Amino acid sequence: MIELRGVSKVYRVGPVKVTALADVSFAVEKGEFTVLAGPSGSGKTTLLRLLYRDEVPTEGEIRVAGFDVTGLRRSRIPQLRRAVGVVFQDAKLLPGRSVYDNIAFVLRVLGTPRRDITPRVMQTLKAVGLSARAQALPAQLSQGEQQRAALARALVKEPALLLADEPTGNLDEAMAEEILYLLSEIWSRGTTILLATHRATLADQLKRRTLVLDGGRLLKDEE
Amino acid sequence: MLAFLIGEAFRNLRRGGRVAASAVLLITLSLAALGAFWVLSLNIGSAVEQWRDRLRVVVYLREEPPAGEVEGLLKKIEGVGGIQRLRYVSKAEALQTLRRQLGGKVSEVEQLPTNPLPPSVEVTPAPEASTPEGTRALIQRLSALAEVEEVQGGTAWVEWLAQLQGLLQLIGLALGGVLALAAILTATTATTLVLHARREEMEIMRLVGASEMVIRLPLFLQGLAQGLVGAGLAVGALYGAYRLALPTLEPLLSFTLGLSRAAFFSPIEVALLLGGGGLLGALGGLAAKGERPA
Ligand SMILES: Nc1ncnc2c1ncn2[C@@H]1O[C@H](COP(=O)(O)OP(=O)(O)O)[C@@H](O)[C@H]1O
Ligand SMILES: [Mg+2]
């Protein structure tokens, strides 16, 4: 599902070069639940952004969901993005639209037939436990609910791979637990998951394969 | 899908607010300016055509030819070339025409001891000879004939009109062009503002894999709508002005240019103006700087 070979990423900020990733190689199989751990600034977000082609690597090769990401033509980027769902620390919901509309928005811009939209949105909302909140505006939701809506938005297009960048970062313990439980449910239904977090305890607690980044280098890859 | 995209475009327009409104206004102004000069030039153009059509060269003869020789003389005149039609006007016929024109004052003419009017030949130049140079050359050739006393006729007035028409077209195009540029820039600004307001939407669209076309189309439609509304307003304003000015304008036109009616745009020309407006707006929409695509 994911394959990196000798991937480096150097940001140029004026004359200054910042090495965010240095010679990272690993592979994630279809159906795996993998944790990407490491302190702040270790390159986790950069790595995820490379996977959905929000950034291009300075060196190395990347394959995701059957796409040659490094050699991908610009016009094919949308196809890659349809196969990959992404959630962030903040939910990034559109404030002017209801939960339902936020999720239906995805299907609309992807050209899903109109009659399929409502059942798919409702089904996804049910999967994240938000059926009752469909007509609420994002501001009326708790942070945990917002994050679940963001998950629903990422999942409604049925991606093969879900990338989660510190999805529990804004949440208290209980809410974080909920989201992690949801993620493992989603995983158990067949979605490959890569979860980035800087909280070592959280990584331990999940008891999953963990890739540890530090200073842009892959330190450990352990089950 | 399309309904959704159109809905997004109107959402944009509402958010664009004042700048979207000024984009519409500028498109209206530029098309109204262009259209006003266009309408003027249309009317002058038809005057020019009408006058060209009526253009006559009158050849005054030294003396009235005997009845049997008229035919031969006409042949000879026709022989100089560049003539479409010609008609002999005898002294008697000229007098009759004069009488008719004078109407009530016939008695004064009756009192003349002899008919003072010369016989003449009315010449209609062939279409290919009715340019200013062609007519001048024709007049020269006609003047050279021995039987001819004087040749009258000319195109100065018509050509002046034609030049005026050209000038109006030029002014209209220049003014319309400058305003059109301003209109495109404003439409671009309006769309860029909307782009800012929609940054979050566009980010999400790109993130979930919407095609660039889907992301751009609402902007294009927004520009198009701005342009069409602007053009519609311009045509409406021009038509209003036309109807308002008609009572005063028409007598003036008929008096000065001999035009019986002042014309407005034909449906095709209206469609062209609307299309032009749509194009201006759509160009503005397309020119807007988007977010970095990836
Ligand atoms: N867009 C950017 N431009 C310049 N430097 C960046 C950019 N994004 C990240 N960095 C730098 O790259 C390094 C890795 O950052 P990041 O990938 O965000 O790490 P993490 O997500 O693990 O906190 C940091 O030093 C950060 O300052
Ligand atoms: Mg990060």
Side-chain angles (χ1 to χ4, degrees):
Chain A
M1 183 60 69
I2 302 174
E3 195 182 342
L4 275 77
R5 252 188 262 165
V7 171
S8 299
K9 176 66 187 177
V10 179
Y11 290 110
R12 251 165 255 269
V13 187
V16 185
K17 289 183 182 176
V18 181
T19 302
L21 290 173
D23 193 21
V24 174
S25 303
F26 68 88
V28 170
E29 295 303 317
K30 188 166 186 283
E32 273 193 74
F33 189 139
T34 311
V35 178
L36 185 60
S40 269
S42 59
K44 303 179 298 296
T45 297
T46 299
L47 197 152
L48 294 189
R49 289 178 67 199
L50 292 178
L51 297 183
Y52 62 95
R53 193 45 145 84
D54 196 33
E55 279 289 351
V56 283
T58 314
E59 251 179 89
E61 278 171 33
I62 302 175
R63 295 191 63 83
V64 172
F67 291 88
D68 169 13
V69 177
T70 21
L72 199 62
R73 281 210 316 263
R74 175 159 291 205
S75 59
R76 290 197 64 210
I77 293 176
Q79 284 169 290
L80 167 70
R81 302 257 175 100
R82 282 170 220 180
V84 180
V86 191
V87 286
F88 306 95
Q89 181 166 347
D90 58 330
K92 291 186 198 271
L93 297 173
L94 301 174
R97 308 182 196 230
S98 68
V99 168
Y100 176 91
D101 280 333
N102 262 280
I103 293 154
F105 183 77
V106 176
L107 296 180
R108 289 186 184 129
V109 301
L110 295 182
T112 307
R114 191 195 285 261
R115 64 178 175 285
D116 297 347
I117 291 180
T118 304
R120 279 181 64 180
V121 172
M122 292 318 289
Q123 187 196 331
T124 314
L125 280 176
K126 196 172 157 208
V128 300
L130 273 186
S131 301
R133 308 293 275 142
Q135 293 313 319
L137 288 174
Q140 298 166 331
L141 301 180
S142 73
Q143 290 206 304
E145 286 172 326
Q146 288 183 22
Q147 199 56 287
R148 279 191 272 154
L151 259 177
R153 182 175 61 192
L155 293 172
V156 73
K157 59 183 176 168
E158 293 166 356
L161 172 66
L162 180 66
L163 304 176
D165 192 359
E166 315 263 9
T168 60
N170 283 347
L171 308 179
D172 62 29
E173 281 297 317
M175 283 178 174
E177 288 282 331
E178 262 179 42
I179 294 295
L180 293 175
Y181 175 73
L182 256 179
L183 285 176
S184 43
E185 276 212 330
I186 291 159
W187 166 74
S188 68
R189 272 183 252 124
T191 309
T192 310
I193 294 181
L194 182 59
L195 166 69
T197 178
H198 69 277
R199 280 158 59 185
T201 51
L202 191 112
D204 291 345
Q205 170 194 336
L206 279 165
K207 298 194 172 53
R208 306 275 180 197
R209 175 187 173 194
T210 304
L211 302 165
V212 182
L213 278 177
D214 197 6
R217 297 196 167 272
L218 192 57
L219 280 193
K220 285 191 278 186
D221 181 351
E222 57 193 18
E223 289 295 321
Chain B
M1 178 80 158
L2 192 66
F4 168 71
L5 292 174
I6 291 172
E8 292 295 299
F10 276 96
R11 223 181 158 104
N12 289 353
L13 273 181
R14 278 205 307 281
R15 285 193 209 174
R18 208 171 301 172
V19 183
S22 26
V24 169
L25 196 72
L26 266 175
I27 290 172
T28 305
L29 276 180
S30 70
L31 287 176
L34 193 88
F37 281 96
W38 189 7
V39 145
L40 271 179
S41 120
L42 270 182
N43 280 292
I44 291 179
S46 56
V48 168
E49 214 148 276
Q50 182 180 316
W51 283 96
R52 279 230 173 100
D53 202 46
R54 281 190 204 159
L55 196 69
R56 295 269 190 290
V57 174
V58 182
V59 179
Y60 293 101
L61 301 174
R62 286 185 200 284
E63 52 200 31
E64 182 140 60
E69 287 172 26
V70 170
E71 205 56 26
L73 180 62
L74 289 182
K75 279 251 158 55
K76 186 174 173 188
I77 291 175
E78 203 166 8
V80 306
I83 290 173
Q84 186 182 45
R85 245 177 308 122
L86 71 181
R87 195 174 73 85
Y88 175 65
V89 181
S90 68
K91 282 171 80 85
E93 193 186 338
L95 188 64
Q96 247 176 16
T97 309
L98 183 64
R99 275 197 188 125
R100 240 202 337 273
Q101 282 172 352
L102 288 177
K105 296 171 200 152
V106 168
S107 55
E108 285 167 31
V109 180
E110 302 291 2
Q111 284 160 15
L112 291 170
T114 55
N115 181 349
L117 299 173
S120 62
V121 176
E122 280 179 14
V123 170
T124 307
E128 66 272 14
S130 56
T131 59
E133 305 80 57
T135 315
R136 219 175 296 130
L138 177 64
I139 290 171
Q140 252 166 30
R141 294 200 300 275
L142 289 170
S143 309
L145 295 174
E147 293 84 349
V148 172
E149 167 84 42
E150 197 193 347
V151 181
Q152 262 183 21
T155 51
W157 146 252
V158 181
E159 293 321 317
W160 179 80
L161 262 188
Q163 274 172 8
L164 180 65
Q165 185 198 5
L167 188 69
L168 283 176
Q169 278 171 349
L170 207 70
I171 296 176
L173 277 179
L175 198 64
V178 168
L179 285 167
L181 210 65
I184 292 182
L185 287 178
T186 320
T188 307
T189 313
T191 321
T192 309
L193 274 192
V194 167
L195 272 180
H196 264 282
R198 293 202 55 190
R199 212 179 25 229
E200 291 173 317
E201 261 104 333
M202 307 206 17
E203 224 172 82
I204 298 297
M205 285 195 204
R206 294 214 163 91
L207 182 67
V208 301
S211 63
E212 271 314 293
M213 204 273 282
V214 167
I215 296 171
R216 284 268 153 186
L217 201 60
L219 300 175
F220 174 80
L221 290 176
Q222 176 203 351
L224 191 70
Q226 282 171 350
L228 284 178
V229 170
L233 287 176
V235 171
L238 283 176
Y239 190 68
Y242 165 77
R243 291 308 297 244
L244 222 64
L246 209 53
T248 25
L249 205 62
E250 230 157 37
L252 192 73
L253 275 181
S254 103
F255 181 69
T256 54
L257 296 182
L259 277 181
S260 55
R261 49 179 296 275
F264 194 65
F265 295 121
S266 67
I268 292 177
E269 286 156 348
V270 169
L272 271 176
L273 272 177
L274 289 177
L279 192 72
L280 282 185
L283 278 180
L286 284 180
K289 275 271 167 291
E291 295 285 293
R292 174 188 57 113

